Amino acid sequence: MGRGLLIVFEGCDRSGKTTQSTRLVQALNDAGVRARLVKFPDRTTAIGAMIDAYLRQKTQLSDQAVHLLFSANRWEAMAQMRADLESGTTLVVDRYTFSGVAFSAAKRMDLKWCKAPDVGLAAPDRVFFLDIHPDDAAKRAGYGDEIYEKREMQIEVRVKFFSLMDKSWSIVDALRDPDEIHRQIMALTNRALERHNADPTPIGKLWTQ
Ligand code: DGP
């Protein structure tokens, strides 16, 4: 049994990542592929509770401190994630290091500094970027409750996401019908699984080149 794939969903707030990542895990499990959903930030841990309070504007933290908390929240999940990947479970991750870098870089923090705490995290095999213009996202239910859900911030975050893309990313038009989006993501995932089965590669490390 080979290792599982690390599949990441990224995108601006309200782009449909949670819906699509949940559907992907379900569809993979239905097809007999062992898969598990991981969501960042994980608000259930002690570090996650601090992040949650910050996002809901219950506490104030410096930009640097909150950046490091988001990174620590990923690191505290890493041992289990690696174990799952190595034992053949595919992980579908709802937000990852790219959100960490994009949100902080959007606040004009230094890009190299933003990447540094995440150096060495498991690198994704595929990244699906659910692309929606923040003006369209703002029309969706629940928008505007948390600290980053502001038009100017989201526009800047989207620009930063685009600057982080490489050949492992697919841009998915998130304004379309959810079933259509799911079918596209399923096709891309199946292709990634086939390619990996034909030519397995070890788990990569983030931000090492
Ligand atoms: P979500 O639970 O996916 O809606 O994310 C909550 C908010 O936190 C959302 O506005 C995006 C932001 N966010 C997610 N990950 C990070 C991160 O690593 N760093 C920063 N600064 N913000 C993040």
Side-chain angles (χ1 to χ4, degrees):
M1 154 83 74
R3 73 168 176 92
L5 290 191
L6 180 52
I7 296 171
V8 168
F9 281 78
E10 289 284 10
C12 291
D13 292 12
R14 305 288 154 182
S15 54
K17 296 178 300 303
T18 303
T19 302
Q20 291 297 335
S21 54
T22 305
R23 283 188 70 167
L24 178 59
V25 169
Q26 188 64 54
L28 288 172
N29 286 332
D30 290 349
V33 177
R34 200 148 24 104
R36 176 169 83 83
L37 183 67
V38 179
K39 175 160 175 47
F40 291 117
D42 173 2
R43 304 188 194 212
T44 66
T45 68
I47 293 168
M50 293 163 78
I51 293 170
D52 181 61
Y54 169 80
L55 290 170
R56 292 190 299 110
Q57 308 186 70
K58 303 286 181 212
T59 54
Q60 290 190 342
L61 288 167
S62 72
D63 291 339
Q64 290 79 2
V66 84
H67 182 83
L68 296 175
L69 286 177
F70 273 108
S71 177
N73 190 234
R74 290 185 280 276
W75 276 110
E76 64 182 339
M78 199 44 40
Q80 186 61 52
M81 285 174 65
R82 277 191 181 277
D84 285 349
L85 290 170
E86 276 154 14
S87 70
T89 299
T90 284
L91 296 180
V92 176
V93 183
D94 179 358
R95 288 199 190 276
Y96 200 45
T97 186
F98 310 101
S99 282
V101 175
F103 278 79
S104 289
K107 300 184 207 170
R108 307 273 176 255
M109 291 160 72
D110 178 68
L111 192 67
K112 206 166 153 217
W113 190 93
C114 292
K115 288 180 175 178
D118 280 0
V119 169
L121 286 176
D125 296 289
R126 295 289 329 156
V127 182
F128 297 135
F129 181 70
L130 296 194
D131 190 32
I132 186 167
H133 191 277
D135 288 344
D136 293 312
K139 295 175 194 148
R140 295 186 167 181
Y143 193 89
D145 298 339
E146 293 199 332
I147 194 164
Y148 294 139
E149 291 180 340
K150 299 187 180 75
R151 183 174 189 273
E152 294 67 32
M153 178 70 181
Q154 294 289 324
I155 286 174
E156 202 51 43
V157 166
R158 183 164 175 251
V159 169
K160 297 298 177 195
F161 273 130
F162 272 95
S163 75
L164 294 172
M165 291 178 185
D166 66 17
K167 62 179 172 28
S168 67
W169 288 56
S170 301
I171 301 172
V172 175
D173 176 0
L175 254 190
R176 292 172 305 154
D177 173 63
D179 291 342
E180 208 181 300
I181 297 171
H182 173 67
R183 278 194 295 276
Q184 182 189 4
I185 287 168
M186 208 49 210
L188 290 165
T189 302
N190 282 331
R191 209 178 309 153
L193 285 165
E194 280 161 23
R195 220 175 298 145
H196 180 73
N197 289 337
D199 182 19
T201 52
I203 304 168
K205 284 191 173 184
L206 261 174
W207 307 129
T208 49
Q209 55 219 347

